[in-house]
Amino acid sequence: MTKKIFLEDLGLMEYKQAWDYQEFLFKKNLDIKAVYYSNQQSTNEKDLVETKNYLLFVEHLPVFTLGKSGKESHVLLDRQQMREKNISYFQTNRGGDITFHGPGQVVGYPILDLEKFETDLGKYLRNLEEIIILTLAEFGINAGRSAGETGVWIDSDLPGSERKICAMGVRSSRWITMHGFALNVNTDLSYFNHIIPCGIANKQVTSIQNELKHPVNIELVKEILKQKFERVFDAKIISGIFC
């Protein structure tokens, strides 16, 4: 039976509002799982659990977010300086270090029940990377992975030329995921000068616009991401507003 993923495009939204919405969907699935496990259902009945899989697309107003394993020293501005530049700041419950979200960047938040897919967080992250790699290829950009570093990179094997185009950080409980990826499309890259992105010094950050030397249609990027998501996760994406 084809798996379904419900896609909602939130448009431009403050980070905290989107985080709260993620938490709502995440907890909704966790509550369903809690009932399932408390009834001690057999593992071969896991496909009958009525969790739903969601994918949220959003662009955020300028914000720095710090993951659980991140260091505040990787933020190069103090709180007053961030206020002066209208940049919000949040310490989050995802993995990873510091990153930036802002207009012109497609942020994807998959809230998936991995028991409906594959219970392997490492494989899940590789799948997210694969979606981005396949999407970038549609624009003629040859991207890939960097050994020991999560996310998607360009020229990762050329010292001094490595540049990160997509950051990732996730959280999982009872195989329900949240948080996800941030793909720089037409992003203002100057914001990254105020942090040590992902805690990795001496490496660059880039965007599709920066690589192609012209802006691209962000709606087209989202449509391609949707297609690649369906392909990689072998699922049907249904767009709309579901909650």
Side-chain angles (χ1 to χ4, degrees), residues 166-179:
C166 182
M168 294 183 181
V170 302
R171 177 190 175 198
S172 174
S173 178
R174 291 191 185 272
W175 297 112
I176 304 295
T177 68
M178 65 177 292
H179 299 294

Side-chain angles (χ1 to χ4, degrees), residues 169-238:
V170 302
R171 177 190 175 198
S172 174
S173 178
R174 291 191 185 272
W175 297 112
I176 304 295
T177 68
M178 65 177 292
H179 299 294
F181 63 83
L183 173 61
N184 296 325
V185 181
N186 302 316
T187 317
D188 181 350
L189 300 178
S190 67
Y191 283 98
F192 289 96
N193 295 332
H194 304 306
I195 60 174
I196 300 175
C198 303
I200 303 171
N202 304 317
K203 290 189 179 181
Q204 305 170 58
V205 175
T206 190
S207 66
I208 297 177
Q209 178 179 4
N210 191 56
E211 294 299 312
L212 300 182
K213 308 306 179 190
H214 62 78
V216 296
N217 185 326
I218 200 164
E219 296 305 317
L220 174 61
V221 175
K222 286 190 275 192
E223 180 58 32
I224 295 172
L225 282 168
K226 172 186 167 182
Q227 294 169 9
K228 304 308 181 185
F229 211 100
E230 287 183 317
R231 172 177 162 184
V232 170
F233 282 95
D234 189 24
K236 176 66 175 176
I237 288 185
I238 301 170

Side-chain angles (χ1 to χ4, degrees), residues 76-205:
L76 307 179
L77 300 177
D78 61 30
R79 298 295 196 277
Q80 178 60 35
Q81 289 170 319
M82 283 189 273
R83 283 192 291 270
E84 290 170 357
K85 295 180 181 295
N86 293 314
I87 304 170
S88 301
Y89 174 74
F90 289 93
Q91 293 180 303
T92 75
N93 55 4
R94 63 164 172 80
D97 205 290
I98 190 74
T99 196
F100 167 76
H101 300 311
Q105 180 189 73
V106 177
V107 180
Y109 295 131
I111 300 142
L112 306 183
D113 181 354
L114 292 186
E115 287 194 296
K116 302 290 182 64
F117 297 92
E118 190 171 354
T119 52
D120 183 331
L121 277 178
K123 178 68 177 296
Y124 172 64
L125 283 166
R126 302 296 82 76
N127 282 340
L128 293 183
E129 291 167 348
E130 187 67 14
I131 289 165
I132 304 302
I133 291 167
L134 292 172
T135 297
L136 292 171
E138 295 289 333
F139 293 92
I141 297 173
N142 183 20
R145 299 174 177 86
S146 178
E149 296 171 326
T150 300
V152 177
W153 296 75
I154 297 172
D155 291 337
S156 63
D157 57 344
L158 295 177
S161 297
E162 315 98 314
R163 47 205 189 276
K164 194 170 194 175
I165 195 166
C166 182
M168 294 183 181
V170 302
R171 177 190 175 198
S172 174
S173 178
R174 291 191 185 272
W175 297 112
I176 304 295
T177 68
M178 65 177 292
H179 299 294
F181 63 83
L183 173 61
N184 296 325
V185 181
N186 302 316
T187 317
D188 181 350
L189 300 178
S190 67
Y191 283 98
F192 289 96
N193 295 332
H194 304 306
I195 60 174
I196 300 175
C198 303
I200 303 171
N202 304 317
K203 290 189 179 181
Q204 305 170 58
V205 175

Side-chain angles (χ1 to χ4, degrees), residues 7-12 55-59 219 222 240-241:
L7 169 65
E8 186 173 350
D9 190 335
L10 303 178
L12 184 65
L55 173 60
L56 307 178
F57 282 158
V58 65
E59 290 180 69
E219 296 305 317
K222 286 190 275 192
I241 300 174

Side-chain angles (χ1 to χ4, degrees), residues 12-71:
L12 184 65
M13 182 179 283
E14 288 275 8
Y15 182 80
K16 184 61 166 60
Q17 186 179 356
W19 188 7
D20 288 345
Y21 188 40
Q22 276 194 88
E23 291 279 7
F24 167 73
L25 297 175
F26 181 75
K27 185 176 185 303
K28 190 175 176 181
N29 275 339
L30 280 183
D31 289 346
I32 292 169
K33 279 287 187 79
V35 171
Y36 165 70
Y37 284 117
S38 68
N39 291 337
Q40 297 183 332
Q41 302 286 346
S42 63
T43 56
N44 62 8
E45 293 176 349
K46 65 185 180 183
D47 288 336
L48 301 178
V49 181
E50 294 181 356
T51 52
K52 286 187 177 181
N53 300 301
Y54 302 96
L55 173 60
L56 307 178
F57 282 158
V58 65
E59 290 180 69
H60 288 306
L61 296 171
V63 59
F64 294 138
T65 68
L66 184 69
K68 292 184 297 182
S69 58
K71 298 180 180 179

